[in-house]
Amino acid sequence: MNASPDSPQKTGKIMLVGLGPGSLGHLTARAREAIAEADTVIGYATYIRLVADLLAGKEVVRKSMTEELDRAIEALERARQGRKVAIVSSGDAGVYGMAGPTFEVLFQAGWTPESAIEVEIVPGASALNTCAALVGAPLTHDFCAISLSDLLTPWPSIARRLDAVAYADFVVALYNPKSGRRTRQIAEAQRIFLRHRDAQTPVAIVKSAYRPKQRIEFTTLEKMSEADIGMLTTVLIGNSNTFVRHGLMITPRGYSNKYEVADGERATRDGEQAGHSLSTGLNGWIESIQQSGRSAAELAQEYRLPAAYIQSVLDTPLAEEMAGEESEA
C-alpha cells in the first residue's frame, strides 16, 4: 500500500504472504522475496514447516490454528519496533487467511495506510485454484466458496448460503469441511445440496494438494459424506452440467449453446451471432417474456426467479433495456 508524500517515514512493515498450496515450486517470486526480506516470520506451525528451508537466520514465531489474532498482535508489536514481519498463510492470505484478522487488529490500534507501518498483501493461489488444477477444469463457469467452519460463523448463516448456491446451480468449493470436533457439518451440507441437485452430481475431494500426502477422490453428491474428508481437504461440488470423463472433472463454459464444432470447424447455431449475447441472453429473454402474454407469477415459477423481479422486467420498455447493449469479443 503506497503512502502519500506527506505520510510519516515508514519504520516497520507487515507482509501478509500467501504460500499457495505449500510446495516451493508453487510459491510466487514475490512470496519468496517477502520471506527473504522479513526479519520475523509468523504463522501456524504447519505453514511454517512448508517454508522451513527459507527461514535460516530469521526469528520464527509459531502459533496454533486458533491463534490468528495473536499472530496479528505479535506482528504489530514487532513492526512498531521497526522490524519487517511476514505473516504466512497457505493458499491466499485474503481467502480465509490472515489478511482479515490482521487488518482488524491494525484498525483497532488506530492504524491507517498513512501510518508509519507499511502493510503489503502478497497473493497466492487459493485451495480452490490448486485443487481444481489437479482434477481438471471444474471452475470454468460460475462458482463460489463456502467455509463449513462454525467456529466464528453461526450455522444458520452457513446453511442459508449453502441452500442459496445449491439452488442457483453454482459449482461450489467447500473449505474447512470437517475436523476432529466438527464432523456433522459436511453431512448437513450434503443434505441441503440434495434438496436441489441430482444425487449423481460429480464431486471431487482433494486432500493436501501438491503436498507429499496428496489424495484425490472422485465421488457423487449422494456418496460425498462417505469419503475421507478432513481439515486439509477441499470439496468441489459440480453444477448440473459438470461431468467426469477420463479421470477429469469438467464444467462446460457454455460454448455449445452458441456454436457447433464439426471436423475442426466452428459454426454458430441458428439464431445466434458470434460476438453478441445469446438469443436467450438478457435482451432476447426480455423480449420473449414481454411478448408471451403470461403473468409474472407464471414466469417466476418457470424461471425460478422472484415474481417482483419478473414484474419489474415486464414493466420496463424493451427499448430502454437495449439502449446500452454492446457487442462482446
Side-chain angles (χ1 to χ4, degrees), residues 36 119 264:
V119 178

XYZ file of all heavy atoms in Angstrom, residues 36 119 264:
16
model
N 12.301 -13.586 2.316
C 13.729 -13.251 2.407
C 13.923 -11.879 3.049
O 14.874 -11.655 3.811
C 14.356 -13.281 1.022
N 1.983 -1.979 5.119
C 1.347 -3.288 5.019
C 1.279 -3.683 3.552
O 0.842 -2.911 2.700
C -0.079 -3.281 5.621
C -0.728 -4.655 5.453
C -0.029 -2.904 7.101
N -13.370 -29.878 -36.867
C -12.459 -28.771 -36.620
C -12.969 -27.417 -37.038
O -12.261 -26.416 -36.914
